[in-house]
Amino acid sequence: MHTHEMIATHPDVRGNTNEALLAAIDAAYACAQACTSCADACLAEQAVAELRQCIRLNLDCADVCAATGVVASRRTGSNETVISGMLEACIVACGLCAAECERHAQRHAHCRICAEACRTCEAACQKALQTF
Amino acid sequence: MHTHEMIATHPDVRGNTNEALLAAIDAAYACAQACTSCADACLAEQAVAELRQCIRLNLDCADVCAATGVVASRRTGSNETVISGMLEACIVACGLCAAECERHAQRHAHCRICAEACRTCEAACQKALQTF
Amino acid sequence: MHTHEMIATHPDVRGNTNEALLAAIDAAYACAQACTSCADACLAEQAVAELRQCIRLNLDCADVCAATGVVASRRTGSNETVISGMLEACIVACGLCAAECERHAQRHAHCRICAEACRTCEAACQKALQTF
Amino acid sequence: MHTHEMIATHPDVRGNTNEALLAAIDAAYACAQACTSCADACLAEQAVAELRQCIRLNLDCADVCAATGVVASRRTGSNETVISGMLEACIVACGLCAAECERHAQRHAHCRICAEACRTCEAACQKALQTF
């Protein structure tokens, strides 16, 4: 990811970066990928029927994280209210997905790693939200 | 859009559809397209320098609407809190984008039509939110 | 969808619209929604284990259609090669998803409707591709 | 990004990873973020009117890269034709965006960094394509 150098060279930012928000952007992209992979890995498990709710939360979390990463990447003009709203939605989506994945963490390594990605993103978004 | 017939035939729904949510899904897809087009049309205007904030809000609104439409389309298991959070974020994004587009509605027809799409989506998401 | 009026009012288009491409954009958004819904409905079916390949193709088709609809909506400057490449990828994704959904069309109404949405989008993208 | 460990723990993969494809997935997510940021930074430049084509190519490249990263992340069942089609579209989008960004690389640091991200993604997708 080139998030830091890209945003640091934005004409309205000029090196004056919000580090907490940058960390949230990177965490959101990483979590979107992890949740996409976890939904796909759960779908391939023999016990797929018991993992439906996990797949649902994974897919929703992937979509919310992807949108959060993109919206939070923009610095032209201002749109703090929408960034805040997406950070809040992202915290909720990551928290619910992490809790479900943690229930399967011992049996499925992909759920364990995905839960960690969700908890990292949840915490990063909470820190970023406090800067607004 | 085939939203109604797709969701009406979901095994957990069986015709028992939430009409307000279905209307919000259709409005969100339509608003995502309108905001993508409006950002692109504003970018091509001679007065592009004065339309930066409009383009910013258009792009953010397109991303939030697209994620809302997808998340709200899912019926397997349950994830009401995330759907509510996205509907709330979508109401904010549409309201801000509409207000900005309305300022340019007389000069730019694409801003006028986009503002209408945003207001329709904002109202549809508010109605859907009341059903949760 | 407001695709026609949005693109017709773009400063570089001024009413001189590519109708085949407009139809492809609308079909791509509708197919993205249908495939998202079909993946979700298949996931809720008792026979989910037999529908894994269908869910996989549905999710891929939803992602390709969504990106195609957005890229094909832009008219500022020019990027015909990328639009063509996405239309081609979309034709392939829709054709494969339709063929798989058609296999389950008699048992699952959502697969029948989704297959129709895929075939409509496949045909619309083929027509649009011929205009490039 | 947790791409490697997520896909290595997929039940159908079991450590037997396609390293070239994994590199392409990471490069696609990073390029999607860089292009989103570059479009936004170009929009804030005083010379925005001269950067319209760059913004257009950035936005298209971001959308194509995002869809490529997601589709290439899935391993359940098989969908090689669609992955190949998206890798091809991504190579084209990255090549065009890089060429345009390189023209502004000396004046705008964000264009220089974005061009590098595009060239990295282009090369990674070409390598991945050869494994199919």
Side-chain angles (χ1 to χ4, degrees):
Chain A
M1 301 289 290
H2 316 278
T3 315
H4 191 280
E5 49 186 332
M6 285 305 302
I7 292 179
T9 57
H10 187 291
D12 297 349
V13 175
R14 298 186 179 285
N16 189 16
T17 49
N18 176 339
E19 294 300 319
L21 191 59
L22 290 177
I25 295 167
D26 280 350
Y29 275 88
C31 192
Q33 197 288 323
C35 286
T36 298
S37 275
C38 195
D40 178 58
C42 286
L43 185 63
E45 293 289 349
Q46 224 179 339
V48 56
E50 300 160 29
L51 293 165
R52 291 179 226 246
Q53 175 71 359
C54 195
I55 295 171
R56 162 70 190 276
L57 299 186
N58 274 321
L59 290 172
D60 285 353
C61 193
D63 291 321
V64 176
C65 285
T68 303
V70 171
V71 167
S73 288
R74 295 196 182 104
R75 285 300 159 275
T76 300
S78 71
N79 204 7
E80 279 79 11
T81 333
V82 171
I83 298 181
S84 297
M86 286 307 295
L87 288 172
E88 281 169 14
C90 200
I91 290 165
V92 171
C94 288
L96 288 170
C97 190
E100 180 68 28
C101 276
E102 283 159 3
R103 294 181 52 223
H104 317 286
Q106 291 208 304
R107 252 169 311 163
H108 305 304
H110 49 81
C111 285
R112 178 178 52 75
I113 304 158
C114 185
E116 291 167 9
C118 289
R119 291 295 182 204
T120 302
C121 186
E122 182 188 28
C125 288
Q126 279 166 335
K127 264 199 177 174
L129 197 56
Q130 288 163 13
T131 67
F132 280 78
Chain B
M1 302 288 289
H2 315 277
T3 315
H4 191 281
E5 47 186 332
M6 284 305 302
I7 291 179
T9 57
H10 186 291
D12 298 348
V13 176
R14 299 187 180 286
N16 189 15
T17 49
N18 176 339
E19 294 300 319
L21 190 59
L22 290 177
I25 295 168
D26 279 350
Y29 275 88
C31 191
Q33 197 287 324
C35 286
T36 297
S37 275
C38 194
D40 177 59
C42 286
L43 185 62
E45 292 289 350
Q46 224 178 341
V48 58
E50 300 161 29
L51 292 166
R52 291 179 227 246
Q53 175 71 358
C54 194
I55 295 171
R56 162 71 191 273
L57 299 186
N58 274 322
L59 290 172
D60 285 353
C61 194
D63 291 321
V64 176
C65 284
T68 302
V70 171
V71 167
S73 288
R74 296 195 183 106
R75 284 298 160 275
T76 299
S78 71
N79 204 8
E80 276 79 11
T81 331
V82 170
I83 297 181
S84 297
M86 287 305 296
L87 289 172
E88 281 169 14
C90 199
I91 291 165
V92 171
C94 288
L96 289 169
C97 189
E100 181 67 29
C101 277
E102 283 160 2
R103 294 182 51 223
H104 316 286
Q106 292 209 302
R107 251 169 313 163
H108 305 303
H110 48 82
C111 285
R112 178 179 51 74
I113 304 159
C114 185
E116 291 168 8
C118 289
R119 291 296 182 202
T120 301
C121 186
E122 182 188 29
C125 288
Q126 279 166 333
K127 264 200 179 175
L129 196 56
Q130 288 163 13
T131 67
F132 280 76
Chain C
M1 302 288 288
H2 316 277
T3 315
H4 191 281
E5 48 185 353
M6 284 306 302
I7 292 179
T9 57
H10 186 291
D12 297 348
V13 175
R14 296 186 181 287
N16 189 15
T17 50
N18 176 338
E19 295 299 320
L21 190 58
L22 289 178
I25 294 168
D26 279 350
Y29 275 89
C31 192
Q33 196 287 323
C35 285
T36 297
S37 276
C38 196
D40 177 57
C42 286
L43 185 63
E45 292 288 351
Q46 225 180 340
V48 56
E50 300 160 29
L51 292 165
R52 291 180 227 246
Q53 176 70 359
C54 194
I55 295 171
R56 162 70 191 274
L57 299 186
N58 274 322
L59 290 172
D60 285 355
C61 193
D63 292 321
V64 176
C65 284
T68 303
V70 170
V71 168
S73 289
R74 296 195 183 104
R75 284 299 160 277
T76 300
S78 71
N79 204 8
E80 277 79 11
T81 332
V82 170
I83 296 180
S84 297
M86 286 306 296
L87 289 172
E88 281 168 14
C90 200
I91 290 165
V92 171
C94 288
L96 288 169
C97 190
E100 180 67 27
C101 277
E102 284 159 1
R103 294 181 52 223
H104 316 286
Q106 291 208 304
R107 251 169 312 164
H108 305 304
H110 50 81
C111 285
R112 178 178 52 74
I113 304 159
C114 185
E116 291 168 9
C118 289
R119 291 296 181 203
T120 301
C121 185
E122 182 187 29
C125 289
Q126 280 166 334
K127 265 200 177 173
L129 197 57
Q130 288 164 13
T131 67
F132 279 77
Chain D
M1 301 288 289
H2 315 279
T3 316
H4 190 280
E5 47 184 355
M6 284 305 303
I7 291 179
T9 57
H10 187 291
D12 298 349
V13 175
R14 298 187 180 283
N16 189 16
T17 49
N18 176 338
E19 294 300 320
L21 190 59
L22 289 177
I25 294 167
D26 279 350
Y29 275 88
C31 192
Q33 197 286 324
C35 286
T36 297
S37 275
C38 195
D40 178 58
C42 286
L43 185 62
E45 293 288 350
Q46 224 179 341
V48 56
E50 300 160 29
L51 293 166
R52 290 179 227 247
Q53 176 70 0
C54 194
I55 295 171
R56 161 70 190 275
L57 299 187
N58 274 322
L59 290 173
D60 285 354
C61 194
D63 291 322
V64 176
C65 284
T68 302
V70 171
V71 167
S73 289
R74 295 196 183 105
R75 284 299 158 275
T76 300
S78 72
N79 204 7
E80 278 79 12
T81 331
V82 170
I83 297 180
S84 297
M86 286 306 296
L87 289 172
E88 281 169 14
C90 198
I91 291 165
V92 171
C94 287
L96 288 169
C97 189
E100 181 67 28
C101 276
E102 283 159 2
R103 295 181 51 223
H104 317 286
Q106 292 209 303
R107 250 168 312 162
H108 305 304
H110 50 81
C111 285
R112 178 179 51 74
I113 303 158
C114 186
E116 291 167 10
C118 288
R119 290 297 181 203
T120 301
C121 187
E122 182 188 30
C125 289
Q126 280 167 334
K127 266 200 176 173
L129 197 57
Q130 288 163 14
T131 66
F132 279 77

